[in-house]
């Protein structure tokens, strides 16, 4: 298996890291669905799509489809899932990229306003994973991957809000992994879907390695990947 020909949804794709990952997926022959709120940034991302190779037999290979959607709004995400399904699009991979950083000031400096802003990333993880759970289970190689932080393993007072949100996202992802395993076991079928946590210390320093690791998710068997926490150095 490879990522070529797979349909991968990037939830929150308009960040610099989203652009790198989208380009890597597109160049590898995947069909990318780039989702975000900023239409201008989405248009710029779509312009970076690699033209489909007619010789590949898949005219959509390497394409980028843009979709405008608030990823913390359950109704909008459900409408996106319905829209894709109506077009005959089934998702093989889901990577939530909504994120950000607020911190500093020790424990006393961790404000509720900062927490609520950071919490949107966890909300996007929950909302998108529910909306596309059926697609990932139905795929012969469904993959769900979140970007987390090494701060979860060693949280600091000045980043308590951030570490708490990342820890919650990791717990949710491990629950997704258990759901994949249980569904396969109950159906008497081999495990085909996997949920993975990719931890980084500083995303900007390793974004190319993260993109490569996401592409490689389709090179490994689901039984080896599911419920794994991978440190990306």
């Amino acid at each position: 298996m490879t990522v070529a020909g797979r349909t991968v949804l990037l939830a929150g794709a308009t960040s610099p890291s989203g652009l790198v990952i989208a380009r890597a997926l597109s160049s590898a022959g995947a069909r990318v669905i780039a989702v975000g709120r900023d239409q201008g940034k989405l248009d710029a991302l779509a312009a970076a799509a690699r033209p489909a190779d007619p010789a590949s037999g898949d005219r959509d290979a390497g394409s980028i489809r843009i979709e405008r959607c608030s990823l913390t709004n359950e109704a909008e995400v459900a409408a996106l899932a319905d829209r894709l399904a109506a077009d005959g699009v089934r998702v093989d991979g889901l990577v939530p990229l909504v994120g950000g950083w607020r911190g500093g000031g020790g424990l006393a400096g961790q404000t509720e306003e900062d927490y609520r802003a950071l919490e949107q990333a966890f909300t996007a993880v929950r909302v998108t994973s529910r909306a596309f759970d059926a697609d990932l289970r139905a795929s012969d190689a469904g993959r769900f991957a979140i970007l987390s932080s090494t701060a979860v393993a060693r949280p600091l007072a000045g980043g308590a809000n951030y570490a708490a949100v990342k820890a919650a996202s990791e717990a949710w992802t491990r629950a997704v992994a258990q759901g994949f395993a249980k569904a396969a076991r109950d159906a008497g079928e081999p495990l085909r879907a996997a949920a993975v946590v990719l931890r980084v210390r500083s995303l900007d320093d390793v974004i190319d390695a993260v993109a490569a690791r996401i592409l490689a998710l389709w090179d490994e068997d689901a039984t080896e990947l599911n419920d794994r926490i991978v440190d990306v150095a």
Side-chain angles (χ1 to χ4, degrees):
M1 295 188 298
T2 70
V3 73
R6 300 290 177 185
T7 300
V8 183
L9 190 148
L10 299 182
T14 57
S15 64
S17 58
L19 178 58
V20 171
I21 294 169
R23 283 175 170 167
L25 286 165
S26 177
S27 295
R31 295 179 292 267
V32 178
I33 302 172
V35 186
R37 291 185 298 181
D38 190 312
Q39 189 65 45
K41 290 181 178 179
L42 286 169
D43 290 339
L45 190 151
R50 180 180 67 83
D53 179 5
S56 70
D58 185 349
R59 296 181 61 85
D60 293 327
S63 67
I64 295 181
R65 169 174 174 163
I66 60 172
E67 289 285 349
R68 189 175 180 184
C69 175
S70 173
L71 293 158
T72 58
N73 185 308
E74 188 172 23
E76 287 193 27
V77 174
L80 169 63
D82 289 342
R83 189 159 62 247
L84 294 174
D87 290 343
V89 176
R90 301 296 293 268
V91 170
D92 299 298
L94 171 62
V95 183
L97 296 172
V98 177
W101 160 260
R102 290 194 184 191
L107 200 64
Q110 304 300 291
T111 69
E112 283 304 297
E113 180 184 358
D114 288 339
Y115 176 78
R116 295 305 170 193
L118 292 168
E119 187 183 33
Q120 293 183 60
F122 180 38
T123 300
V125 167
R126 292 183 292 110
V127 171
T128 57
S129 63
R130 285 198 300 260
F132 293 98
D133 184 62
D135 274 16
L136 296 177
R137 292 189 189 192
S139 171
D140 63 351
R143 298 291 184 267
F144 176 65
I146 69 162
L147 303 186
S148 186
S149 171
T150 54
V152 174
R154 190 175 183 274
L156 304 178
N161 279 333
Y162 179 76
V165 167
K166 289 298 187 183
S169 296
E170 287 197 10
W172 184 274
T173 302
R174 297 194 67 190
V176 172
Q178 191 275 335
F180 287 161
K182 184 178 186 300
R185 185 170 60 250
D186 290 349
E189 298 177 350
L191 181 63
R192 300 186 181 92
V196 184
V197 173
L198 304 179
R199 281 184 184 171
V200 300
R201 181 175 182 181
S202 174
L203 181 58
D204 290 342
D205 295 337
V206 294
I207 183 55
D208 289 332
V210 168
R213 192 67 190 82
I214 290 172
L215 266 62
L217 294 176
W218 281 268
D219 296 335
E220 300 180 52
D221 190 87
T223 56
E224 301 296 325
L225 278 174
N226 198 39
D227 202 20
R228 275 181 61 189
I229 297 175
V230 180
D231 287 321
V232 182

